[in-house]
Structures are given as structure tokens and as C-alpha cells.
Amino acid sequence: MKIPEILIVETVHQPGSLARVLQVIGEAGLAIEHLHAVRREQGRTLWEITLEMDEETDRSLYERIDQLPNARFIGKSDRVFTRHKGGKIRTVASHPINTQQVLRDVYTPGVARVCLAIQRDPVLAREYTSIDNTVAIVTNGTAVLGLGNIGPLAGLPVMEGKAALFAELVGITGVPILLRETDPARVVDTIEAIETSFGAIQLEDFAAPECFEIETRLQERLNKPVLHDDQHGTAVVVLAALMSAVRRTKKNLRASTVGQIGLGAAGTGIVRLLRAYGVKRVLGADRNPAAIERIVRLGAEASDLESIMQQADIVIATTGVKNLIRPEWVRRGQIILALSNPDPEIDPVRAMDRGAIYAADGKAINNVLAFPGLFKGALAARASRFTDAMLMAAAETLSCLARGDELVPDPLDKSVHARVAEAVRAAAHGAASSKG
């Protein structure tokens, strides 16, 4: 697995000094993810060079850099750890508490009036507490990123990251909840016991197949939005990317043959949403017969890797297996989304070289584009559940906001998330009106 390493290199401030360092890195077969000049003083520049390196990477690279006449390898940066130090989130007061009167209003004795009002009319909790803007981010750590079953505590940095993105992108409070429980029934009972504190529940990094049962049971038992992000957040962004790709290539998505390789949480969620969107023929491949049975019940067809590469107009892979798709299998005109992180099933550049009309990986097609706006919109609508109409509204909005050759827009553009939230809110209200 490739993990970022940040090299600290000092170069003499002369033409060609940095170029020599970059040449050594290129000769080692490594791509530079980020380059940053930390400081320049006394004729020397200190650089942070971010590379993605796995355990097999030859670390003699450091010595070769150090042997250059105008460069010196200083060491490796702890920048990633520094940005995690003390955690990535905190709870702050929404109003300054700076006088005795304010203290008495927000705490005792004033708070008693609000408590009694909510006791008489529980709906008032939506107006006078943070419930309408608070999401529980729940995990048991059984399927964290590409790391697998590392447990809930080791998964906490991911949950804090989700909470930080909620806060930064849409102004929602996300609260990480770690469960030391893997039995689906007990997971559901535990979440149900604490759900009153939250306006919505985001399930995160639960392994398949237990994740399907957990989500279904919670949706049946809770009168609030529940979303397993690995399934549905990913599916929304994939659908958005495919909408963009077929629009630019004059294809018909619903009439295309789509192949889904890997039928875990993400793959199954993608199949389900594509079928709900109206894609008539979806092929699915997985080594697990139970996974195949699940997608057949959704109206998809059982297939295998080679058949999908031969038949599918669109190929989506979520297997976690690096270089699973051989370049020679790519057919001219295919759309290929190899979404496993950090290593895709095929490098998008190689897929394009072999004739793919569009190719992308999980760095570009990332569920960070979906979940902030999905939850913001659902909370704003006071929806009781997420519907396919809400998911499709999010996907359509993301596709419409993509610019140039991009399949999806910039995830750091806050206006994108605001537009997604508004589309989701409108879809939720539309569904409620049709029921009425």
C-alpha cells in the first residue's frame, strides 16, 4: 500500500539544483504528489517533497539525493502527524459566554425553562438545541479505508476527518462514535439507544455484508436519515461522474452496459443506485457468491472480470486489488473508473493510453463530494430518511457543476456543497409533497 512520505531536502539556490533532485526521484520511478518551498535563507532553499511510497520502494533514494553536489537530504517531515496532533475537531460555544447574565441564561437557572418547554413539546428540541445540525459518525472499524479491520480506535482519525469536513464545508457538527461491537443486532441496538442526540446517522467503515443488515435495520427503526457513506456516498459521486462522461461522449447511460468489479459495500451501493437510475444492464463480478446473489436480487447479472472487460461500455472497479485490470484488456471507447485507494486497479493514464475515452481513480471520484451536502440537505428538510430521489439530485447537481474535462467538480469549493444541499433539500420536500 502506498502511503505519503514527506522528504525534507535542502538545495543551493542555483539554477538546476532542484531539477537534479527531481530527476533522481523520477529515476526511482516515483511521482511527486506535492512540492513546497518551506523557506529560503542564506542562498539555500528548504523543500518539502511529498511522494507516495510503499514498503517495496528502494530507500537508497535518500542517499542518492544526499550525494548530489548542490543538495542535502535532511530527513522526513512529520507534517501529517503534526496536522493530527490534538485531534482535528473541537466543540465550541455558538454564543460568547462572557457575562454572568449570559451564563445564567445558557446554563442554570435559565436553561430549565427550555428543558421544560421541550418536555411539553419535543419538537421544540429542533429549534432550541443543535440536533438539527448534528450528525453521529459511527464506526466499528471493520473496513477502514484500504486498511481493513483495524478496529474503531485506529479508525478515529478518519471519523475526525469526516467531522472536520462537515464543519468546514457545510457547517454541520459531526460527532465520532466508536463501537467495540461487530454483531449487527447489537450494533443496531447501541445506535438506537443514543440516536436521540442526533439529527442524522452516518455509518462509516462497516464491513460487508454486515453493513447492509445494519443500515436496513436502522432505517426501519429510526425516524431520521441514516446513510452508509461507503455505499451511497460513493455511488452518488460515481453516478455524477458517469453522467458527465456520457454527456460529453454522446452516450446513453441507461442504455449502456455497465460492469461493476468488486461487490463489497461500495460496489453493491453503485449497482443499486445505477439500477434505480434506470441502467438496464449491469454486470457484477466478485469472488464471493453471496455478493453476486445480492446484486442479482437488484436486477444485475452475474459475470466475471474478463467478461466485463469484453462486454461493458463502462467499467467500475472497487476491489482494493492493485493493477487488477491489465492494460491490454481495455477496449477503445470504454469509460473506466478504477476507484480503489490508494492504488487503483489500473492507472488512469495507462487506461487512456490503451484507448479508454475517460478514465479516473479514487482520488478524483471521492465521496467527500457527496456526504456533506447530502446530510446538510436532509437535515434542512427535516427528512425522515434518504431516498433515491435525494441521491440522484445530488449526483445530477455534481455533474452539472463539473467544468472542462473534469467528471466532477472541486471538492474544496464550498459553493458546490451548498448547491448539492439545496438540491437534496428540494428533492426531500418533493417526495414529502407527493406523499401528502
Side-chain angles (χ1 to χ4, degrees):
M1 172 180 290
K2 291 182 178 179
I3 294 178
E5 287 199 13
I6 304 105
L7 311 188
I8 304 296
V9 177
E10 184 183 75
T11 61
V12 176
H13 187 48
Q14 293 177 354
S17 294
L18 178 61
R20 297 280 298 276
V21 173
L22 302 185
Q23 181 179 354
V24 170
I25 292 171
E27 290 170 350
L30 297 171
I32 295 170
E33 295 295 315
H34 187 68
L35 179 65
H36 172 62
V38 179
R39 65 171 182 269
R40 180 176 295 158
E41 58 187 15
Q42 297 180 349
R44 295 179 180 275
T45 305
L46 193 68
W47 300 92
E48 280 188 344
I49 305 174
T50 303
L51 311 174
E52 284 195 345
M53 305 174 71
D54 55 30
E55 294 178 357
E56 299 172 358
T57 302
D58 184 2
R59 261 60 180 186
S60 66
L61 165 72
Y62 308 151
E63 183 179 348
R64 296 199 297 277
I65 292 174
D66 207 40
Q67 290 173 348
L68 293 172
N70 293 332
R72 183 162 65 103
F73 176 71
I74 304 298
K76 291 189 287 186
S77 168
D78 285 334
R79 185 187 72 211
V80 171
F81 280 88
T82 298
R83 287 179 173 165
H84 282 75
K85 193 164 186 176
K88 295 181 294 232
I89 56 175
R90 61 191 176 120
T91 300
V92 298
S94 59
H95 303 286
I97 303 174
N98 49 17
T99 69
Q100 286 291 324
Q101 187 58 63
V102 172
L103 176 62
R104 290 169 62 82
D105 287 347
V106 302
Y107 196 48
T108 187
V111 72
R113 291 184 57 200
V114 182
C115 293
L116 293 172
I118 293 171
Q119 182 187 31
R120 291 190 296 269
D121 183 4
V123 173
L124 291 177
R126 289 183 172 273
E127 185 173 354
Y128 295 113
T129 75
S130 61
I131 283 177
D132 255 5
N133 204 49
T134 304
V135 175
I137 308 170
V138 188
T139 190
N140 64 0
T142 50
V144 180
L145 297 176
L147 303 174
N149 186 358
I150 62 174
L153 185 60
L156 179 56
V158 178
M159 305 310 115
E160 286 194 355
K162 293 277 187 181
L165 290 168
F166 269 135
E168 181 67 20
L169 297 176
V170 293
I172 284 176
T173 298
V175 180
I177 305 291
L178 308 181
L179 303 182
R180 290 185 297 184
E181 182 57 72
T182 57
D183 177 73
R186 290 199 290 268
V187 167
V188 171
D189 288 342
T190 302
I191 295 173
E192 186 177 24
I194 63 170
E195 59 88 15
T196 307
S197 301
F198 307 101
I201 308 293
Q202 180 178 22
L203 302 174
E204 185 69 30
D205 293 345
F206 283 87
E210 293 81 6
C211 62
F212 306 118
E213 180 182 351
I214 290 167
E215 183 189 41
T216 299
R217 288 193 184 186
L218 285 170
Q219 288 172 340
E220 292 170 350
R221 290 162 65 169
L222 304 186
N223 189 36
K224 63 184 55 176
V226 176
L227 187 90
H228 184 209
D229 189 38
D230 302 290
Q231 288 184 67
H232 309 299
T234 303
V236 164
V237 185
V238 167
L239 178 56
L242 294 181
M243 287 174 171
S244 299
V246 298
R247 183 172 64 249
R248 292 168 189 163
T249 56
K250 310 301 182 185
K251 294 179 182 289
N252 183 330
L253 177 54
R254 292 182 173 91
S256 297
T257 297
V258 180
Q260 172 63 48
I261 305 168
L263 298 171
T268 301
I270 292 166
V271 169
R272 197 202 67 79
L273 188 59
L274 290 177
R275 288 288 298 156
Y277 182 70
V279 177
K280 294 181 177 61
R281 191 177 187 218
V282 180
L283 311 177
D286 196 282
R287 292 178 296 181
N288 186 339
I292 294 290
E293 290 175 11
R294 271 195 303 274
I295 60 111
V296 169
R297 289 196 294 270
L298 294 170
E301 301 174 30
S303 188
D304 55 56
L305 173 60
E306 290 81 1
S307 297
I308 284 176
M309 295 305 300
Q310 291 167 7
Q311 299 180 42
D313 307 302
I314 298 167
V315 176
I316 307 163
T318 55
T319 65
V321 181
K322 178 182 178 181
N323 296 330
L324 176 68
I325 298 174
R326 297 178 187 173
E328 59 266 27
W329 291 346
V330 176
R331 292 187 297 108
R332 184 164 297 279
Q334 281 182 317
I335 297 169
I336 296 183
L337 305 182
L339 303 182
S340 291
N341 281 319
D343 302 309
E345 287 80 2
I346 184 171
D347 183 273
V349 175
R350 298 195 71 184
M352 295 286 285
D353 288 343
R354 295 293 300 184
I357 194 167
Y358 269 104
D361 59 18
K363 294 177 183 176
I365 313 301
N366 193 298
N367 60 13
V368 69
L369 275 162
F371 72 82
L374 283 169
F375 278 93
K376 182 72 171 180
L379 288 169
R382 295 186 175 176
S384 60
R385 63 184 294 113
F386 283 101
T387 64
D388 285 339
M390 294 160 73
L391 302 182
M392 292 177 197
E396 289 168 357
T397 302
L398 288 171
S399 177
C400 290
L401 294 174
R403 297 288 178 263
D405 290 332
E406 295 177 336
L407 295 177
V408 290
D410 180 358
L412 295 180
D413 184 345
K414 294 182 182 179
S415 68
V416 168
H417 299 282
R419 293 277 295 276
V420 170
E422 177 53 31
V424 171
R425 185 199 64 79
H429 280 315
S433 298
S434 64
K435 286 181 181 179

